[in-house]
Amino acid sequence: SSFTFDGQTISYYDATFIPLHNQQDELRLRFKTNFPNGVLFYAKGTQNNDYLTVELRNGSIFVGIDLGSTPERPGATVIQAGSVLDDYQWHDLAVVRYWKNISVKIDQTVVYDESQSAFNGLDLDGK
């Protein structure tokens, strides 16, 4: 799908009716902006605080993911990739997760990390 945003609009999918329970995820975005900060993608779950976020902060991509947290073991992982992405040029982003292994590719740069969570699946059941 293709979307155009003016900085004040959103598009959303309601997963409260058909929850997503995945051990593997792939999110691809193509974007261009001259704004250095903004949320590109946000998804959350109600079970164990699962979430996936993609944000632009000071022109860099930040991917936040939590496959589930417990009081004894927080599961939040943040991966930073790219820079000067607010140059109004097209940029290709791919976030790929298989179990706890996560890769973030922005244009030709790839960053790998592993989730700190005690869980393996991403459970999304919110809007």
Side-chain angles (χ1 to χ4, degrees):
S1 299
S2 182
F3 301 93
T4 301
F5 297 101
D6 62 6
Q8 297 181 27
T9 57
I10 65 168
S11 174
Y12 74 91
Y13 171 81
D14 189 348
T16 57
F17 298 109
I18 304 173
L20 306 172
H21 305 286
N22 301 321
Q23 273 71 44
Q24 178 176 322
D25 300 291
E26 185 171 332
L27 173 67
R28 294 186 179 275
L29 298 173
R30 186 162 212 244
F31 68 93
K32 72 175 177 177
T33 184
N34 57 356
F35 294 100
N37 301 296
V39 176
L40 300 178
F41 183 85
Y42 174 80
K44 68 176 181 124
T46 57
Q47 182 180 15
N48 299 317
N49 301 316
D50 291 22
Y51 68 83
L52 173 62
T53 64
V54 178
E55 301 174 64
L56 200 58
R57 293 188 210 157
N58 297 318
S60 293
I61 286 291
F62 284 79
V63 174
I65 188 166
D66 192 334
L67 303 178
S69 293
T70 65
E72 301 80 31
R73 186 167 178 182
T77 302
V78 178
I79 302 167
Q80 180 181 356
S83 62
V84 195
L85 301 173
D86 54 344
D87 58 358
Y88 210 66
Q89 300 296 314
W90 285 108
H91 297 283
D92 294 305
L93 171 69
V95 179
V96 178
R97 181 189 66 84
Y98 182 72
W99 295 93
K100 291 186 179 188
N101 300 307
I102 307 159
S103 70
V104 176
K105 181 178 181 183
I106 184 72
D107 299 328
Q108 301 305 315
T109 303
V110 182
V111 178
Y112 298 96
D113 206 342
E114 185 173 312
S115 170
Q116 302 303 305
S117 177
F119 304 97
N120 293 318
L122 183 62
D123 298 311
L124 304 175
D125 55 6
K127 288 186 180 179

